Amino acid sequence: MSGPKPILDLGAVESYLTSHLAGFEGPLRAQQFETGQSNPTFLLQSPKRNYVLRRKPEGTLLKSAHAVDREFKVQSALAGSEVPVAGMHILCEDKDVIGSSFYIMDHVVGRNFVEPTLKDLSVDCRGQVIDEMGRVLAALHDVDINSVGLSEYGPPGSYFERQLLRWTKQYRASETEFIPEMDDLIVALQSELPDDDGQRGLVHGDYRVDNMIFQNDGTGCFAILDWELSTIGHPYADLAGVIMQWQMPPGPEGRGLAGLDRNRLGLPSDQDFIDRYCARREIPEIDNFGFYLGFSFFRMAAILQGVLKRALDGTASNPDRANRLG
């Protein structure tokens, strides 16, 4: 089932920005990005400069999902830090403007790699991009959340216990059929929850190479995108999320590295990436990494169930792709 793409009232956006964004001049043109199954995202082109608008989707939404206000807050807090983010301009929480909350940020010009194979790069550059990905991840997890004003960005307590509860509820709310393997995984994760080791910091929640913008003529990272799932939590969730993605099938849907000769491609092994991350953060070897990896697969399955539900309900921003992913 396919539904209409979200409509962006350009006249309303232009009027709002004229009144609220210093230096803005119309007229506006808009183009929706193909990526982004959760919060529809648009390139706004004006005579003086380009911006990006990110909004909540239309239709009935799950509680706490699509929190564009949180995306705006965390990226604003990270401005000027070692974590590269787009410049934030304005958050509009008045739903009467375009029908939902939205925010405006800089349009970061650079390269975006859809798949971690990085097939258009040389062997040496591939390794450099992935190493930069690891450097930025370590920098993210070393952010002092108190000094940047994010100490209250997530609740206290066991992150994984909290996340298991949250995503199990989200999965049940969007469940379209009974999948016994998913129920088995939920039970297994609940029984294997590690003790809270006290690590508490900023996590991105969807840290992948396709959520990053890199230099056009180099391998440095200009910005991390898509902060919807960010919170205060345990850093191993982000690290395991990277490894989970790489264990998916290669190609435009799986976007993984499963079965590929990484050494020939110039890409690190899972363990090499983990070891380099630990060295950068000066932390010991990670025990029971299998739990964190299993948790990452569980959460991705719950997210994709929500994508499928929105596709069936006709509220997905890209219905055809949402159906394929679901």
Side-chain angles (χ1 to χ4, degrees):
M1 178 187 297
S2 63
K5 284 189 175 183
I7 297 172
L8 186 64
D9 187 338
L10 265 186
V13 173
E14 186 172 319
S15 177
Y16 184 85
L17 296 186
T18 299
S19 301
H20 294 83
L21 183 56
F24 172 78
E25 293 181 11
L28 274 181
R29 292 186 298 160
Q31 178 182 350
Q32 185 175 356
F33 290 100
E34 288 297 319
T35 55
Q37 280 300 309
S38 185
N39 291 326
T41 307
F42 300 84
L43 173 64
L44 300 182
Q45 297 171 300
S46 74
K48 292 183 66 174
R49 62 181 298 180
N50 294 339
Y51 306 91
V52 169
L53 181 150
R54 192 156 159 88
R55 64 171 294 176
K56 285 191 175 186
E58 298 174 333
T60 303
L61 306 177
L62 294 174
K63 184 180 179 181
S64 79
H66 314 284
V68 295
D69 56 324
R70 287 177 60 81
E71 290 190 2
F72 185 85
K73 178 178 180 177
V74 68
Q75 290 174 97
S76 297
L78 291 172
S81 74
E82 292 297 313
V83 181
V85 292
M88 298 292 108
H89 289 289
I90 191 166
L91 170 68
C92 175
E93 297 183 277
D94 182 355
K95 297 179 182 179
D96 291 336
V97 177
I98 63 169
S100 70
S101 302
F102 68 91
Y103 67 90
I104 303 293
M105 63 181 175
D106 280 341
H107 176 226
V108 180
V109 178
R111 294 190 289 184
N112 177 244
F113 304 109
V114 176
E115 300 178 41
T117 50
L118 307 173
K119 57 184 178 181
D120 294 331
L121 299 182
S122 68
V123 170
D124 287 344
C125 284
R126 289 171 191 160
Q128 292 168 20
V129 165
I130 298 302
D131 192 58
E132 173 73 349
M133 185 182 177
R135 183 196 69 80
V136 172
L137 183 64
L140 169 65
H141 294 158
D142 282 339
V143 166
D144 184 333
I145 57 175
N146 295 314
S147 66
V148 298
L150 292 174
S151 57
E152 304 300 320
Y153 191 63
S158 171
Y159 170 77
F160 289 105
E161 183 177 1
R162 186 173 80 240
Q163 287 283 296
L164 272 174
L165 180 62
R166 174 191 174 183
W167 286 106
T168 299
K169 287 182 177 179
Q170 297 279 54
Y171 175 72
R172 297 301 183 202
S174 58
E175 195 172 14
T176 55
E177 63 175 312
F178 174 66
I179 303 174
E181 293 87 352
M182 187 64 166
D183 280 41
D184 290 345
L185 179 55
I186 291 171
V187 171
L189 290 171
Q190 290 171 339
S191 66
E192 295 292 331
L193 264 174
D195 293 334
D196 188 359
D197 62 4
Q199 292 195 58
R200 188 172 186 267
L202 180 61
V203 295
H204 179 270
D206 197 15
Y207 193 80
R208 305 184 314 223
V209 73
D210 51 300
N211 278 334
M212 305 175 77
I213 302 293
F214 292 85
Q215 297 169 335
N216 278 320
D217 56 355
T219 57
C221 177
F222 277 155
I224 309 171
L225 307 176
D226 198 357
W227 290 82
E228 184 198 347
L229 298 177
S230 62
T231 188
I232 301 303
H234 201 293
Y236 295 168
D238 274 345
L239 179 62
V242 173
I243 304 305
M244 180 275 296
Q245 189 66 47
W246 290 353
Q247 292 189 5
M248 298 288 282
E253 301 301 341
R255 299 185 183 184
L257 299 171
L260 300 181
D261 185 344
R262 295 198 207 173
N263 187 58
R264 181 181 64 82
L265 294 173
L267 301 170
S269 68
D270 292 345
Q271 194 59 54
D272 286 342
F273 187 83
I274 294 169
D275 290 345
R276 186 83 173 108
Y277 168 88
C278 291
R280 281 187 163 114
R281 297 198 62 221
E282 299 181 348
I283 60 176
E285 180 180 343
I286 300 171
D287 292 330
N288 195 20
F289 192 77
F291 169 85
Y292 308 111
L293 187 58
F295 166 81
S296 295
F297 275 108
F298 153 76
R299 197 184 65 160
M300 179 54 67
I303 291 170
L304 291 178
Q305 181 63 56
V307 170
L308 177 61
K309 184 68 163 59
R310 289 196 299 276
L312 295 175
D313 290 345
T315 60
S317 61
N318 187 333
D320 292 336
R321 184 161 186 268
N323 267 307
R324 292 196 305 273
L325 286 174

